[in-house]
Amino acid sequence: MSLNQAQLRAVAHKDGPCMVLAGPGSGKTLTIAKRIEYLITEYKVRPEEILVITFTKYAANEMKERFRKVMGQSGIPVTFGTFHGIYYGILKWAYRLDQRNILSDREKYELLGQAAARMEWEAAEYAGEENEYLQELAAEIGNVKNHCRDIGEYKSRRYDTRRFRELYLAYEEEKKKLRKIDFEDMILYCRELFLKRPDILKKWQKKFRYILVDEFQDVNQAQYDVVRMLAAPEDNLFVVGDDDQSVYGFRGAKPGIMLDFRKDYKEAKQILLDINYRSPAYVVDGALRVIDHNQERFDKKITACKGKGETIHIQEVKDPVEEGEYVLEKIREYYEKGIPYDEMAVLYRTSLEVRTLAEILAEDQIPFDIKEKPGNLYDHFIGKDMASYLHLAQGDCERRYFLQIANRPKRYISRDSMEGGRVSYESLRNFYCDKDWMMDRIDQLEWDMKMIRDKTPFAAIQYIRKGIGYDEFLREYAACRKKPEEELTAVLDEIQQNSRSFQTIGEWLAHVKHYKEVMQEKNAAARDKREDKKGVSLMTMHGAKGLEFRLVFIIEGNEGCIPYRKADMREELEEERRLFYVAMTRAKEKLIISYVKEKNGKDLCPSRFVEELFIR
């Protein structure tokens, strides 16, 4: 385990503040582990005085295991933990809290939902949308706390400021009544404890005299305030991170904290780990060309030690279906060349981009593992509507299919008219025999189903949209619920686009059934914490952070996708570029980036980040 010169300087640092800039694949975990060893063996620091803070339990355990291997023994009382774990431990000691005082996500959403209902906030009413709505509310409340903002002065960008403030205070009041704290409170309450009780702060300062922080670029204001108090007055604060990999702004992370570290600690040392051991030079140089367009960053010269490697391949494709087929072809090709499936990854900006590819891989029985649940198109109410129409067109007249689409668009067909397990057009006519206008509607529905029976799935969906009037129904649905119409039509466009590769309705329905089964299996495996070690990894760029693969695909490298269409401020665009940089630097051997020319009938252009690859 030999170290390079920069790593040696970092390891040998003893007292006072130090910031280590550690780019992708620069050996930071080994450097931190060796520094802990050096503190104990060379500087005779007592192990129980050393605190190592990471952001996840997985990272804490990985760091602990690496340290054990470096020392060659276990049981050394160095404290490893996450920000929340360490700060919650301090609160437990101070306030005698236990697990019953922690608010679960389910309880949090219940409290927020109840508060929103009392205040008559609009909540979405269809499949999966309400939970997403509450998650967005919870995220904004979390940001207020992470940034240590005063709710009395906070101005919301997403909601009416006065109403958001009222909801925030109502949520906090209900939480207090239950004597519960949420995830962000663990940091905030620890900060308040230290500010109010200098005697308690002093006790913990004496306990942890040497503090090391990993992934420092992801720190938020509340976390930083507490760790600074904890490190004082000796300020033996050793922080390791990469400002170019700060991609959690939505959680309150501020790369500016890292950039200003030497303003807060003027005597701080700064060390750059300037050798990349992971990626070949073509990948490293390309990634640096992209990230160099950011203005707010430390300038870095990074050298790859692997040689040039293969050039980055940029592929233009017609649409997401062609893109999925291209990725499938390349997966097969590189698998035959000896790269196992679990050494391949497909990365994308949001989980919406992977759905077409996941369908193609499932259809071709290529093993894959999805880190974040992408949401099954066919479980969306629009997907259920299309499937129900096509089941009816095939003569499958189960009651559930009639119930699903009877009034989409509005036909005034009541539930009472549909009894038993199966429904017939004749039974509907018998029910409405005294209403000629209803008889006409039922006749029209039966005629429409005959019209689409022998069409391709794509043509059948087109007929449902235009001939039956489903597009108009969606417009009215969106207006009634104050939802952007384009969000709903995008779902329908994607379903229709993905149906192009099937010649018959029967084939398409069989595919939908198979895909649902595959996704249920994937989701069950995720819940059970089981991993398919032999599968291609499909994950968002955020989810890929900290990981590495021999072959990496970046799909839908388009404007509006990456950078995301809602990113318009300079700070937001710079974070999007950092996210693209993170995705690129996951590649150990080969990087393939693709972009589509059109999607859902709209022309698209390549991402500016793809174009920056060619600018020297």
Side-chain angles (χ1 to χ4, degrees):
M1 290 188 289
S2 60
L3 302 176
N4 61 45
Q5 288 301 309
Q7 289 172 325
L8 285 170
R9 287 200 304 277
V11 165
H13 175 77
K14 184 183 182 239
D15 293 330
C18 178
M19 179 170 63
V20 177
L21 299 174
S26 60
K28 70 180 178 65
T29 304
L30 174 62
T31 302
I32 293 171
K34 293 290 284 184
R35 177 174 187 260
I36 302 168
E37 177 197 34
Y38 209 84
L39 286 173
I40 295 168
T41 58
E42 298 297 322
Y43 295 137
K44 308 306 176 188
V45 174
R46 292 167 56 228
E48 52 268 36
E49 293 181 330
I50 301 172
L51 170 64
V52 184
I53 306 177
T54 64
F55 276 82
T56 66
K57 288 182 182 178
Y58 174 82
N61 290 332
E62 183 182 40
M63 189 72 71
K64 191 174 184 178
E65 180 60 21
R66 179 63 70 93
F67 171 64
R68 186 192 65 76
K69 287 181 179 177
V70 165
M71 290 295 291
Q73 57 183 302
S74 58
I76 299 173
V78 173
T79 300
F80 294 85
T82 65
F83 274 103
H84 289 90
I86 298 298
Y87 294 177
Y88 173 58
I90 293 170
L91 292 177
K92 277 176 70 176
W93 175 86
Y95 297 128
R96 302 295 184 262
L97 300 178
D98 60 34
Q99 202 60 35
R100 291 170 297 182
N101 299 109
I102 305 298
L103 198 70
S104 70
D105 283 344
R106 181 183 59 79
E107 291 171 321
K108 176 190 283 189
Y109 296 147
E110 281 180 6
L111 289 184
L112 284 174
Q114 290 163 8
R118 283 196 303 273
M119 296 171 61
E120 298 183 343
W121 278 48
E122 282 287 331
E125 296 175 10
Y126 62 83
E129 199 69 29
E130 184 175 359
N131 195 45
E132 182 182 332
Y133 180 85
L134 294 175
Q135 285 174 352
E136 290 174 353
L137 265 178
E140 179 130 10
I141 287 172
N143 260 340
V144 174
K145 298 178 180 183
N146 289 333
H147 288 296
C148 302
R149 304 288 291 276
D150 179 351
I151 189 60
E153 298 176 1
Y154 179 77
K155 287 183 170 54
S156 173
R157 288 180 62 188
R158 183 187 294 270
Y159 309 104
D160 175 80
T161 295
R162 181 185 60 80
R163 284 167 62 77
F164 176 74
R165 189 175 299 152
E166 289 174 358
L167 183 133
Y168 179 99
L169 294 172
Y171 166 70
E172 290 297 304
E173 186 61 33
E174 286 302 310
K175 198 154 49 68
K176 195 177 292 182
K177 287 178 186 174
L178 296 170
R179 201 168 183 266
K180 297 265 192 178
I181 62 173
D182 63 25
F183 199 59
E184 290 77 22
D185 289 336
M186 294 181 196
I187 311 293
L188 206 60
Y189 286 13
C190 194
R191 179 177 182 269
E192 291 174 359
L193 173 69
F194 283 171
L195 287 171
K196 292 175 182 175
R197 293 289 302 274
D199 56 324
I200 291 177
L201 172 59
K202 191 172 183 179
K203 167 190 164 52
W204 290 98
Q205 287 171 335
K206 285 184 176 179
K207 178 172 175 56
F208 297 127
R209 292 184 53 239
Y210 288 84
I211 301 175
L212 297 86
V213 181
D214 188 22
E215 301 286 2
F216 185 63
Q217 76 278 351
D218 295 332
V219 76
N220 63 45
Q221 192 63 52
Q223 291 165 338
Y224 184 50
D225 288 351
V226 177
V227 84
R228 285 196 71 193
M229 287 188 274
L230 206 51
E234 294 181 71
D235 292 335
N236 295 324
L237 184 57
F238 184 88
V239 300
V240 182
D242 180 10
D243 56 307
D244 289 333
Q245 296 186 74
S246 179
V247 295
Y248 292 119
F250 62 93
R251 293 184 192 166
K254 291 172 60 179
I257 290 174
M258 191 167 190
L259 292 165
D260 289 342
F261 184 78
R262 292 189 70 186
K263 292 180 182 176
D264 296 329
Y265 297 99
K266 291 183 172 55
E267 73 281 18
K269 284 185 183 175
Q270 181 173 307
I271 300 167
L272 170 65
L273 302 188
D274 57 356
I275 298 177
N276 182 305
Y277 294 96
R278 175 190 297 156
S279 306
Y282 277 122
V283 171
V284 172
D285 295 345
L288 287 172
R289 276 202 299 279
V290 173
I291 199 65
D292 195 46
H293 285 78
N294 275 0
Q295 296 175 27
E296 296 295 319
R297 63 182 293 265
F298 291 107
D299 186 37
K300 305 178 188 73
K301 298 290 184 285
I302 307 292
T303 304
C305 77
K306 271 191 169 183
K308 286 189 174 181
E310 292 189 47
T311 57
I312 299 171
H313 182 76
I314 312 294
Q315 183 68 34
E316 178 184 274
V317 291
K318 179 186 174 187
D319 55 31
V321 172
E322 187 174 290
E323 183 176 53
E325 290 167 349
Y326 170 76
V327 171
L328 171 63
E329 175 192 330
K330 288 296 174 184
I331 286 173
R332 283 190 189 131
E333 177 187 325
Y334 280 94
Y335 181 73
E336 289 173 5
K337 287 181 179 179
I339 298 182
Y341 290 131
D342 62 344
E343 279 289 347
M344 303 181 192
V346 182
L347 311 183
Y348 35 86
R349 175 61 179 85
T350 75
S351 56
L352 299 179
E353 281 93 65
V354 76
R355 295 190 295 208
T356 299
L357 175 63
E359 287 189 47
I360 290 171
L361 295 182
E363 192 67 24
D364 214 74
Q365 298 187 322
I366 297 290
F368 65 91
D369 181 58
I370 298 187
K371 186 170 182 178
E372 306 97 340
K373 183 180 177 183
N376 187 343
L377 271 178
Y378 308 112
D379 285 336
H380 194 286
F381 82 88
I382 295 175
K384 290 178 179 178
D385 288 352
M386 293 303 107
S388 295
Y389 268 118
L390 297 189
H391 272 291
L392 291 174
Q394 296 296 286
D396 189 354
C397 296
E398 288 186 40
R399 182 173 185 261
R400 57 179 171 145
Y401 300 136
F402 271 105
L403 283 172
Q404 184 74 30
I405 58 87
N407 291 296
R408 292 179 169 179
K410 194 74 174 171
R411 297 183 179 93
Y412 300 96
I413 300 175
S414 71
R415 297 179 72 90
D416 294 340
S417 68
M418 296 175 278
E419 293 183 349
R422 296 178 68 79
V423 177
S424 70
Y425 299 104
E426 201 55 42
S427 67
L428 289 173
R429 278 190 277 265
N430 288 337
F431 187 88
Y432 289 109
C433 61
D434 58 338
K435 294 182 176 66
D436 289 344
W437 62 279
M438 282 300 296
M439 299 283 275
D440 291 342
R441 290 170 187 270
I442 295 162
D443 288 346
Q444 184 64 49
L445 176 59
E446 184 177 18
W447 171 258
D448 287 334
M449 294 304 94
K450 286 179 180 176
M451 285 293 292
I452 67 176
R453 181 175 57 201
D454 297 322
K455 291 182 182 293
T456 65
F458 184 90
I461 292 172
Q462 184 69 5
Y463 184 90
I464 293 166
R465 297 182 71 163
K466 307 301 181 186
I468 294 178
Y470 193 85
D471 278 357
E472 183 60 33
F473 156 73
L474 276 190
R475 271 192 288 277
E476 293 170 0
Y477 187 98
C480 178
R481 286 157 180 81
K482 298 180 181 176
K483 292 287 297 178
E485 182 190 332
E486 59 270 20
E487 286 185 11
L488 299 180
T489 54
V491 172
L492 184 49
D493 287 341
E494 189 172 347
I495 290 170
Q496 185 175 14
Q497 186 70 33
N498 292 354
S499 73
R500 273 190 185 276
S501 53
F502 300 94
Q503 292 305 305
T504 69
I505 288 173
E507 287 177 5
W508 184 80
L509 290 172
H511 162 74
V512 170
K513 182 175 182 290
H514 173 64
Y515 182 63
K516 281 187 176 183
E517 290 169 353
V518 170
M519 295 309 294
Q520 284 168 358
E521 184 182 316
K522 300 293 180 191
N523 293 333
R527 285 193 299 271
D528 296 342
K529 306 298 183 188
R530 290 186 285 112
E531 294 183 22
D532 183 0
K533 295 293 183 183
K534 296 181 181 178
V536 178
S537 293
L538 311 183
M539 61 183 70
T540 63
M541 295 175 182
H542 283 104
K545 192 165 175 288
L547 303 176
E548 58 185 32
F549 303 89
R550 288 173 66 183
L551 171 62
V552 170
F553 298 89
I554 298 175
I555 61 172
E556 289 203 28
N558 290 87
E559 281 291 305
C561 179
I562 179 75
Y564 193 52
R565 65 181 181 277
K566 293 181 181 178
D568 48 17
M569 296 174 64
R570 183 179 62 80
E571 294 84 357
E572 294 169 331
L573 287 169
E574 293 210 346
E575 178 155 324
E576 293 289 306
R577 188 177 280 108
R578 292 193 293 268
L579 194 53
F580 195 76
Y581 174 79
V582 165
M584 292 181 68
T585 54
R586 300 310 94 199
K588 292 162 64 177
E589 293 178 15
K590 179 68 177 175
L591 174 62
I592 298 174
I593 302 171
S594 57
Y595 63 88
V596 301
K597 291 168 66 178
E598 63 177 65
K599 184 176 181 181
N600 300 332
K602 296 176 182 174
D603 292 336
L604 297 177
C605 61
S607 167
R608 69 190 74 183
F609 305 151
V610 173
E611 294 177 342
E612 287 167 3
L613 275 166
F614 302 102
I615 302 173
R616 292 188 177 274

